Amino acid sequence: MAFGKCKQGIYIPKYPDKWIITESFSSTKPEIVYRSGWEKMFFTFMDMNDNIIRCNSEGMIIPYNNPVTGKVSRYYMDAMMETKDGKIWLIEIKPYAQTKPPKPPRKNAKNTQKAQANYIKAIETFAINQAKWEATQILCDEKGWFFKIITEKELGI
């Protein structure tokens, strides 16, 4: 996730027995990787919440049709957790702005070319996110799981 000043690191859980630790896509050793301060905050929530009995980071890979490249791509789910009631949740952590269609640049934008290029990139990002989330929802529907997008609003930021 590229937004704000991205704080990346290795999360060290207080309750490691509840974590299913896998190799991340950027590492060859099993570890819990967070790619933003928001992810770290949510991992702490999962770790400390007694209602969550198992969880992981980037352990679920979901294939999706990338609308920009036209190829099948791999989506690494930010988090997966199982609650005491047996429910399995797939969690994506994103800025709220990336969950809504981008707004076109104003006609009087100072740098029209740059504004247009940024708008096109935002449209592509939104389309890719929508494709990822559609594939995730289909998987969840098939398995009886749940999918939730967590934004700064849910995190109270």
Side-chain angles (χ1 to χ4, degrees):
M1 292 193 287
F3 49 89
K5 290 190 177 187
C6 190
K7 300 175 187 174
Q8 297 187 26
I10 307 301
Y11 182 77
I12 308 299
K14 184 171 182 181
Y15 300 100
D17 290 346
K18 74 179 355 183
W19 286 83
I20 301 165
I21 303 173
T22 59
E23 292 178 6
S24 72
F25 70 87
S26 63
S27 175
T28 57
K29 62 182 180 180
E31 53 193 14
I32 304 167
V33 177
Y34 60 87
R35 305 203 182 278
S36 71
W38 295 1
E39 284 187 9
K40 183 179 180 185
M41 183 183 296
F42 190 76
F43 293 175
T44 301
F45 164 79
M46 290 192 301
D47 195 26
M48 303 303 288
N49 189 318
D50 290 338
N51 193 43
I52 297 170
I53 59 172
R54 289 188 311 156
C55 52
N56 77 3
S57 160
E58 296 181 351
M60 173 63 69
I61 302 168
I62 301 170
Y64 71 98
N65 294 315
N66 185 317
V68 175
T69 66
K71 298 178 181 177
V72 175
S73 297
R74 295 164 49 118
Y75 174 29
Y76 292 81
M77 186 58 50
D78 289 336
M80 183 176 182
M81 62 185 187
E82 181 180 357
T83 53
K84 282 184 179 177
D85 61 6
K87 292 180 180 174
I88 295 181
W89 292 83
L90 300 183
I91 306 294
E92 172 67 3
I93 301 166
K94 273 287 184 242
Y96 179 76
Q98 289 184 14
T99 67
K100 302 294 177 201
K103 294 180 181 175
R106 294 184 304 246
K107 291 182 181 178
N108 61 352
K110 290 182 181 178
N111 186 340
T112 305
Q113 274 188 320
K114 184 175 180 182
Q116 190 64 28
N118 288 342
Y119 177 59
I120 290 168
K121 182 66 178 164
I123 289 172
E124 290 175 348
T125 298
F126 182 73
I128 290 169
N129 284 340
Q130 291 297 301
K132 289 177 180 180
W133 300 339
E134 181 180 335
T136 302
Q137 190 61 62
I138 289 169
L139 174 70
C140 287
D141 290 346
E142 289 171 356
K143 295 189 172 281
W145 294 352
F146 300 88
F147 175 50
K148 176 79 175 155
I149 299 168
I150 303 289
T151 70
E152 64 271 25
K153 294 181 180 209
E154 287 80 11
L155 293 171
I157 298 173

